[in-house]
Amino acid sequence: MEGEILNFIKVWITVLVSLCFCYSIRNTVPKGTKRLLSVLPVVCLFLYLPLKISSVHLGGSTAFFVAWLANFKILLFAFGKGPLSSDPSISLPLFIALACLPIKIQQKRKNKENPSPEPRLDRQSKENPAPGRGKEGLRSYAIKGVLLAMLIRAYDYSDYIHPNVILIMYSFHVYFILEIMLAVGAVLARNLLGLELEPQFNEPYFATSLQDFWGCRWNLVVTSILRPTVYEPIRSIGSHLVGRKWAPLPAVFATFVVSAMMHELIFFYLGRVRPNWEISWFFLLHGFCLTAEIAIKKVLNDRWQLPKTISTILTVGFIMSTGFWLFFPKFVEYKVDVRAFEEYAEIGAYMKNVSQSIVRVLPGH
């Protein structure tokens, strides 16, 4: 584990140095082709760096933050778009934080500078508000923390649990751990940098449609980065070919194609085996179904809708069934759960050794 931690530190030092280079050229290299050529080596380096880490937790998080989030933001930066280009006087620490973390400037500061913020693909509606904070938020995270601990304990009896139930447990495990980790990160970012993490989830189990699930409730930071990099350019091109009304359809499907490619890459970093493209088929299937859903809504013009309870059951049922078919079996195939618990044990042993070493050097011991 010590070797993995050392590799992790080396990788992130490389990331920081590379982002310092990007920061240094923001006012000297004009946006467009010249800046793109300047940052392409950084993009390629960021695609390579996660291969230096084999840990599920350290490697998976690095792949997401660096190979996906940072690279997409750097590509936007090359053309003078995205959060890295929003403020010419941006400081280096803020530039680095915005590049590789799912954060945004606090809303009240943003409103002073830009009263009409750019519309988002995942814009929250009155029916689907963003998750609340305060006591309700704390209670929600506390409940999810308890449920996560129960899930981890339940894995000890996995030999006696049906494989399909294990897949259901994986789905909730992924959801709970991301929610809790990002909540902790939000507190640190808010207190130390005056920033806040973008909401990652918004009660996805209440989704009433695929559009609601993917656009307003699930993995919202990915939605917010795919919108300017894929959705908006394709929609702009499509508006000239099929008109403004139908332009979102090819844009949505193209977004899912890119998402499929990036998820295949993330799973490659985790498993280091040749992909069989089941992950891609999962996202292509959902992209096709969501495109069809949007087209039907445009034809019907919201004249007919299912009751919310029925639509929620159908939506969540479709997502879970296709996930069991194409997505979650990858966790079993790559033995992600086994490797994760091995890492938990190694971390526990490492921390125990460190604490014992500290105790031995204290006076009187």
Side-chain angles (χ1 to χ4, degrees), residues 172-344:
F172 282 99
H173 191 161
V174 171
Y175 169 53
F176 289 150
I177 200 166
L178 285 175
E179 276 266 57
I180 294 169
M181 287 175 59
L182 287 167
V184 173
V187 173
L188 295 175
R190 190 179 302 116
N191 293 333
L192 298 178
L193 297 174
L195 305 170
E196 64 182 56
L197 291 178
E198 294 181 338
Q200 184 80 354
F201 299 97
N202 179 18
E203 300 179 324
Y205 36 81
F206 290 139
T208 57
S209 65
L210 290 178
Q211 187 176 18
D212 182 29
F213 179 84
W214 291 112
C216 298
R217 296 186 181 273
W218 184 265
N219 217 348
L220 300 182
V221 65
V222 169
T223 301
S224 67
I225 197 64
L226 285 174
R227 177 183 178 89
T229 52
V230 183
Y231 177 81
E232 289 180 346
I234 299 298
R235 186 185 61 178
S236 177
I237 296 172
S239 63
H240 298 292
L241 300 176
V242 297
R244 292 177 59 87
K245 180 178 180 180
W246 301 106
L249 302 185
V252 166
F253 189 76
T255 301
F256 273 84
V257 171
V258 174
S259 180
M261 295 170 58
M262 295 308 300
H263 277 87
E264 286 285 5
L265 181 62
I266 297 296
F267 272 86
F268 175 76
Y269 289 135
L270 292 176
R272 309 294 168 89
V273 296
R274 178 177 296 182
N276 59 10
W277 308 111
E278 288 182 356
I279 296 295
S280 292
W281 282 115
F282 172 81
F283 286 97
L284 293 177
L285 173 62
H286 277 255
F288 174 80
C289 293
L290 176 53
T291 302
E293 177 187 298
I294 295 174
I296 292 172
K297 286 180 178 179
K298 288 182 176 293
V299 171
L300 296 177
N301 197 24
D302 294 330
R303 290 192 298 268
W304 181 81
Q305 294 181 345
L306 287 172
K308 282 190 174 182
T309 302
I310 301 299
S311 60
T312 297
I313 293 173
L314 292 175
T315 300
V316 176
F318 176 77
I319 293 166
M320 295 296 286
S321 60
T322 53
F324 294 160
W325 173 30
L326 296 170
F327 190 84
F328 292 113
K330 281 294 181 183
F331 289 90
V332 178
E333 180 181 339
Y334 295 155
K335 297 182 179 180
V336 173
D337 58 332
V338 176
R339 293 165 56 197
F341 288 115
E342 288 176 351
E343 290 178 14
Y344 291 149

Side-chain angles (χ1 to χ4, degrees), residues 104-120:
K104 62 180 179 182
I105 298 175
Q106 286 184 344
Q107 190 64 40
K108 61 182 180 181
R109 259 202 281 173
K110 184 176 181 179
N111 286 343
K112 289 180 181 179
E113 298 173 3
N114 184 10
S116 302
E118 183 179 341
R120 293 171 52 186

Side-chain angles (χ1 to χ4, degrees), residues 8 12 31 118 128 144 153 190 236 309 322 354:
F8 178 76
W12 276 93
K31 63 183 179 181
E118 183 179 341
N128 302 315
K144 290 168 184 174
R153 179 60 178 165
R190 190 179 302 116
S236 177
T309 302
T322 53
V354 170

